[in-house]
Amino acid sequence: MSHQGADERRLSETLSNIKHKYVVLSGKGGVGKSTVAVNIAVGLTLKGKKTGLLDTDLHGPSVPKMLGLVSFLSSGDETHLEPAILYDGQLKIMSVQFLLQNLHDSVIWRGPLKHAVISQFIGHTMWGELDYLIIDSPPGTGDEPLSVVQTAKPDGAIIVTTPQEVATFDVRKSIDFCNKLELPVIGIIENMSGFICPHCNKETAIFSTGGGKRMAEELGIAFLGAVPIDPQFVSRSDRGNPMVDFTSAGKSMEAIRMIIDKIVL
Ligand code: ADP
């Protein structure tokens, strides 16, 4: 059998052991897409679901840092990539960074090979049986997110936006991208929506908020929730601690928890 045929068979075998696959998309970088993907994956794990988190951002992988896995190297060989494992084996994580360090070669990500690399990266990871695979996509609507969607064939997309992004219509491009690919949109999350003062707990709408909700209503898409700006997201992710902590209170954690309740089947 040709290399390509074997890879495709391997990919469909891998995907057939995963019950639900969701891709997290955003119109542009820096809106909190990876933060949301990590929180959803950890939140599902804490709900007792066998979860995988796949970081496909080839140029700016941030998932390893957010989970304290910057020095993790994937063992195995080209056809059997071992994911990082957290939470007693309930959460498996694979990131491009685990391979880049391994191969000491970023050249392989260039040009037409990118699609093949994304396909191998998804198909050759030893995920085992999973309830959920959360895929952190590269931002935008270009070739890389397209390869991710065509390869992983997710069941749905979660779109992350910010109040500013709603105003620039980037998020509408993401919705259009899903429509063209016949990828159902699970819902929209408005991140960095208002600021909760850590001292007085009062909420300040730095940019106008509520645009994500209005847009979702207009387009007939579910609105999953609004997550405020909360300095804890930055301090926790800089320490490499998973941010969803089900014992901690606060509006941002509450928002994340409600989002996960809406997603879990
Ligand atoms: P993206 O994946 O869209 O590029 P990230 O998830 O890497 O964005 O987030 C960009 C930065 O913003 C990170 O430093 C992250 O900790 C921070 N961040 C994300 N969401 C929030 C939030 N709700 N409140 C405060 N900081 C946030």
Side-chain angles (χ1 to χ4, degrees):
M1 189 186 286
S2 71
H3 246 313
Q4 203 184 354
D7 275 353
E8 270 168 26
R9 211 181 52 170
R10 178 71 182 282
L11 177 66
S12 55
E13 266 170 33
T14 302
L15 296 181
S16 70
N17 287 323
I18 303 172
K19 287 193 194 127
H20 310 287
K21 288 169 278 155
Y22 296 144
V23 63
V24 184
L25 299 173
S26 66
K28 61 173 189 191
V31 302
K33 173 179 53 58
S34 299
T35 303
V36 165
V38 167
N39 275 284
I40 289 176
V42 173
L44 289 168
T45 306
L46 293 172
K47 278 191 171 290
K49 305 293 179 190
K50 282 197 171 64
T51 307
L53 174 60
L54 177 66
D55 174 14
T56 60
D57 202 332
L58 305 185
H59 307 290
S62 46
V63 167
K65 184 168 174 249
M66 290 180 182
L67 290 170
L69 295 167
V70 272
S71 52
F72 179 82
L73 290 180
S74 171
S75 60
D77 53 38
E78 262 177 46
T79 56
H80 292 84
L81 300 169
E82 290 293 339
I85 293 178
L86 295 175
Y87 292 92
D88 296 328
Q90 288 289 101
L91 177 62
K92 295 181 178 165
I93 306 114
M94 181 48 87
S95 168
V96 170
Q97 189 174 312
F98 303 161
L99 308 185
L100 285 179
Q101 290 177 347
N102 213 356
L103 303 173
H104 296 292
D105 187 2
S106 58
V107 178
I108 58 159
W109 306 117
R110 286 205 200 118
L113 272 179
K114 232 183 248 173
H115 187 90
V117 167
I118 288 175
S119 162
Q120 286 183 347
F121 179 51
I122 298 171
H124 292 178
T125 297
M126 307 305 283
W127 297 111
E129 304 241 328
L130 291 181
D131 295 313
Y132 290 92
L133 178 65
I134 304 299
I135 304 163
D136 184 10
S137 163
T141 52
D143 283 351
E144 287 170 22
L146 181 65
S147 286
V148 169
V149 171
Q150 286 176 336
T151 310
K153 301 181 182 66
D155 310 300
I158 294 161
I159 298 179
V160 181
T161 183
T162 61
Q164 300 102 294
E165 205 197 8
V166 168
T168 63
F169 292 96
D170 281 344
V171 68
R172 286 179 193 257
K173 274 200 232 160
S174 298
I175 293 164
D176 201 40
F177 172 83
C178 294
N179 290 342
K180 284 197 179 119
L181 294 171
E182 295 180 11
L183 172 64
V185 177
I186 305 291
I188 296 177
I189 295 171
E190 187 174 293
N191 187 33
M192 307 195 194
S193 175
F195 173 71
I196 312 272
C197 172
H199 307 293
C200 69
N201 260 340
K202 254 181 91 177
E203 186 166 357
T204 310
I206 297 178
F207 302 99
S208 67
T209 56
K213 191 167 191 213
R214 277 194 301 278
M215 179 187 281
E217 276 164 9
E218 233 174 87
L219 298 170
I221 291 168
F223 183 69
L224 298 175
V227 182
I229 296 172
D230 183 339
Q232 276 197 80
F233 278 102
V234 184
S235 57
R236 283 179 180 234
S237 73
D238 285 351
R239 287 200 304 267
N241 290 332
M243 290 156 290
V244 173
D245 172 351
F246 278 63
T247 57
S248 88
K251 202 177 164 200
S252 50
M253 294 302 162
E254 195 51 42
I256 295 276
R257 257 174 255 162
M258 280 165 66
I259 289 168
I260 291 160
D261 285 343
K262 284 184 188 158
I263 291 170
V264 74
L265 295 172

